[in-house]
């Protein structure tokens, strides 16, 4: 990192209520949204690590409300973790306040930063290495939902309105195709046609919600495998991170997004789509873990719609990548040419594979739902 960047970050870090000398602050992790840094400090008791994030205020426009959600949720989790005899310093994020007692720091140019405890002796993964890890992540995400079941949902702000409203996202996609501001639609004709051919799927879940057939719960809404920390020694999923999108939502969104990312045999940005498929063994492990983690709270309709959650979250995410490609890569971080188009292709290949494996997907859910 350039000395000037380090100096800038050091000035930011000095505004947080931690004692010590900053040794380093380096870019960290592979999230698509925030700028994340690993901060190492020398303190009287030894070295301590922290996570510093420059929040994406373009995407999360109301920082005050976003941080109010996160401090509320983490406080609630601390109480629950204490009650079950867990270690709150490792099993949930903690917001480290600024010296003025605020949950984030706004610098002179309007950038907003927050600081968290670093979850030590644990790791997050961009791909499943050991199938057991995936099962553990399922239990933990299911559990997370149970821990928040009594959270006063009415006090939560909607940090990104209509985040998983797939129908609205479809309308935004259609506008992006029509406007074609970058002249890129010509490169994405098969992908655009794929989205159009799935129009009927877009509102299936929101229609059920409206009819009262699926309950609104407090959900995480971004349940990628790299948003969970697994203990290095036991392999257990110990801490759910990336709480920016915790909002009222559907359980099948949380289930579905995990399958989209973790049960794919290839990476989200694999260029060779012949390597993309749904790994049914991983899918089965996740189904079992998630149902267990939710501790019997899922209704019959929620269970029945789990496969649909997986398909729609994958379709929606592909459509979001494609929309961003057409709009000029204004939302997701990109690291190479056509990155969003590549990502969208993997998502649509995965949707197509799910459609081929639909009966098996349903049979697997049935097997665990009936137990
Ligand atoms: P984004 O919204 O950009 O995805 P995240 O909050 O998910 O940002 O952080 C990006 C990555 O940084 C995570 O995937 C994880 O690897 C790492 N990370 C974030 N918070 C912590 C933490 N408290 N302790 C350890 N690692 C963390
Ligand atoms: C983003 O923040 P991150 O990288 O964990 C995105 C998710 C997408 C995901 C695709 C706030 O997740 O919705 O599913 O990328 N988060 C936001 O990888 O838009
Ligand atoms: Mg993340």
């Amino acid at each position: 990192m350039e000395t000037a960047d380090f100096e800038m970050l050091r000035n930011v870090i000095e505004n947080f209520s931690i004692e010590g000398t900053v040794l380093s602050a380096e870019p960290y992790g592979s999230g698509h949204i925030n700028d994340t840094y690993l901060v190492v400090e020398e303190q009287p008791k030894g070295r301590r690590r922290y996570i510093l994030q420059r929040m994406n205020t373009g995407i999360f426009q109301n920082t005050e409300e976003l941080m109010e959600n996160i401090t509320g949720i983490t406080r609630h989790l601390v109480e629950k973790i204490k009650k079950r005899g867990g270690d709150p310093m490792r099993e949930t994020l903690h917001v480290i306040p600024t010296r003025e007692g605020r949950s984030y720091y706004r610098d002179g140019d309007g950038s907003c930063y927050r600081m968290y405890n670093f979850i030590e002796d644990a790791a997050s993964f961009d791909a499943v290495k050991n199938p057991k890890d995936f099962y553990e992540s399922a239990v933990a995400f299911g559990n997370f939902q149970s821990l928040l079941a009594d959270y006063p949902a009415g006090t939560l702000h909607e940090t990104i309105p209509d985040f998983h409203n797939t129908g609205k996202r479809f309308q935004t996609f259609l506008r992006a195709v029509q406007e074609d501001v970058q002249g890129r639609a010509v490169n994405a004709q098969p992908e655009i046609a794929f989205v159009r051919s799935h129009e009927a799927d877009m509102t299936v879940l929101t229609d059920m919600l409206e009819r009262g057939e699926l309950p609104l719960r407090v959900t995480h809404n971004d349940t990628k495998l790299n948003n969970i920390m697994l203990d290095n020694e036991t392999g257990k999923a110990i801490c759910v991170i990336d709480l920016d999108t915790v909002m009222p939502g559907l359980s099948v969104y949380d289930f579905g997004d995990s399958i989209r990312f973790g049960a794919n045999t290839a990476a989200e940005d694999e260029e060779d789509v012949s390597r993309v498929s749904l790994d049914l063994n991983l899918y089965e492990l996740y189904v079992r873990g998630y149902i267990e983690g939710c501790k019997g709270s899922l209704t019959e309709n929620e269970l029945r719609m789990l496969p649909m959650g997986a398909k729609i979250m994958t379709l929606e995410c592909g459509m979001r990548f494609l929309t961003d490609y057409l709009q000029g890569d204004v939302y997701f971080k990109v690291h190479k040419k056509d990155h969003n188009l590549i990502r969208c292709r993997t998502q649509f290949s995965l949707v197509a594979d799910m459609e081929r494996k639909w009966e098996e997907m349903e049979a697997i859910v049935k097997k665990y739902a009936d137990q």
Side-chain angles (χ1 to χ4, degrees):
M1 169 173 288
E2 299 286 324
T3 320
D5 292 341
F6 177 60
E7 281 308 313
M8 186 276 290
L9 288 174
R10 195 162 61 177
N11 289 335
V12 168
I13 294 162
E14 273 167 6
N15 290 282
F16 286 88
S17 165
I18 49 174
E19 303 303 331
T21 315
V22 184
L23 297 179
S24 60
E26 296 287 341
Y28 191 73
S30 48
H32 292 341
I33 304 297
N34 296 296
D35 294 336
T36 302
Y37 302 92
L38 169 62
V39 174
V40 183
E41 278 227 332
E42 186 74 59
Q43 297 187 353
K45 285 189 192 150
R47 289 191 176 186
R48 291 266 328 248
R49 304 201 284 178
Y50 299 92
I51 285 286
L52 175 75
Q53 285 183 323
R54 190 165 78 96
M55 292 177 268
N56 191 323
T57 46
I59 291 177
F60 297 100
Q61 295 189 351
N62 192 329
T63 314
E64 206 62 51
E65 289 189 355
L66 170 71
M67 292 310 292
E68 209 175 290
N69 274 6
I70 294 184
T71 46
I73 293 155
T74 51
R75 257 188 233 127
H76 181 89
L77 292 174
V78 165
E79 291 313 310
K80 295 270 170 149
I81 293 164
K82 277 189 191 155
K83 262 190 208 145
R84 70 172 188 214
D87 174 358
M89 277 320 281
R90 287 189 78 225
E91 294 171 33
T92 175
L93 292 176
H94 286 263
V95 176
I96 300 188
T98 66
R99 294 193 188 279
E100 292 177 340
R102 298 174 59 84
S103 58
Y104 69 97
Y105 169 71
R106 188 187 294 269
D107 76 4
D109 70 13
S111 295
C112 293
Y113 294 85
R114 68 180 163 212
M115 198 171 242
Y116 287 129
N117 55 317
F118 186 85
I119 311 298
E120 295 288 354
D121 305 314
S124 72
F125 297 104
D126 288 327
V128 175
K129 292 201 179 73
N130 180 348
K132 193 179 154 282
D133 292 350
F134 197 48
Y135 165 78
E136 292 296 342
S137 76
V139 176
F141 276 125
N143 223 282
F144 183 80
Q145 193 185 289
S146 313
L147 291 176
L148 292 177
D150 57 348
Y151 192 81
T155 65
L156 276 177
H157 305 286
E158 210 178 353
T159 54
I160 301 182
D162 293 314
F163 190 56
H164 284 313
N165 186 331
T166 316
K168 280 213 171 158
R169 291 204 179 267
F170 178 60
Q171 296 306 324
T172 308
F173 159 80
L174 291 177
R175 269 199 309 279
V177 175
Q178 201 184 15
E179 289 166 5
D180 193 19
V181 289
Q182 300 283 325
R184 289 177 169 179
V186 63
N187 308 329
Q189 286 305 310
E191 292 75 21
I192 292 171
F194 187 88
V195 177
R196 288 189 196 279
S197 70
H198 283 77
E199 183 171 356
D201 288 329
M202 302 291 174
T203 54
V204 170
L205 294 174
T206 42
D207 284 351
M208 287 185 77
L209 173 66
E210 258 173 42
R211 291 196 298 265
E213 293 165 10
L214 289 172
L216 202 58
R217 299 181 183 276
V218 176
T219 48
H220 184 279
N221 295 306
D222 188 2
T223 51
K224 296 207 288 205
L225 187 62
N226 63 18
N227 285 333
I228 202 155
M229 308 289 302
L230 297 153
D231 187 288
N232 289 341
E233 220 167 89
T234 63
K236 295 257 179 230
I238 50 162
C239 182
V240 172
I241 60 171
D242 202 345
L243 304 176
D244 291 334
T245 52
V246 174
M247 288 181 279
L250 300 181
S251 58
V252 299
Y253 295 156
D254 276 6
F255 170 83
D257 199 48
S258 289
I259 297 299
R260 171 191 81 72
F261 189 82
N264 184 349
T265 51
E268 189 182 69
D269 60 355
E270 171 61 58
E271 292 188 33
D272 175 2
V273 289
S274 72
R275 299 172 78 162
V276 173
S277 65
L278 176 73
D279 182 325
L280 279 173
N281 290 324
L282 289 179
Y283 172 83
E284 176 158 359
L285 279 172
Y286 202 94
V287 168
R288 178 158 71 84
Y290 192 67
I291 293 176
E292 272 174 37
C294 288
K295 298 185 168 57
S297 66
L298 297 178
T299 64
E300 232 173 81
N301 275 341
E302 284 177 297
L303 289 163
R304 185 168 59 80
M305 296 311 282
L306 289 177
M308 191 54 97
K311 179 174 151 183
I312 290 183
M313 282 299 97
T314 311
L315 178 65
E316 179 191 279
C317 193
M319 186 166 69
R320 290 173 64 197
F321 287 141
L322 182 53
T323 304
D324 199 30
Y325 172 74
L326 295 171
Q327 292 178 336
D329 308 316
V330 291
Y331 188 96
F332 297 103
K333 283 178 197 257
V334 287
H335 307 293
K336 56 181 166 187
K337 186 174 175 288
D338 295 344
H339 208 161
N340 274 316
L341 181 60
I342 293 165
R343 288 171 176 151
C344 125
R345 288 184 176 141
T346 61
Q347 302 307 293
F348 295 161
S349 298
L350 188 58
V351 170
D353 196 48
M354 287 178 183
E355 288 172 342
R356 283 189 287 273
K357 293 174 175 159
W358 198 248
E359 280 175 18
E360 285 133 298
M361 287 174 76
E362 289 195 322
I364 289 169
V365 168
K366 211 167 174 315
K367 176 170 155 193
Y368 293 96
D370 290 347
Q371 276 178 4

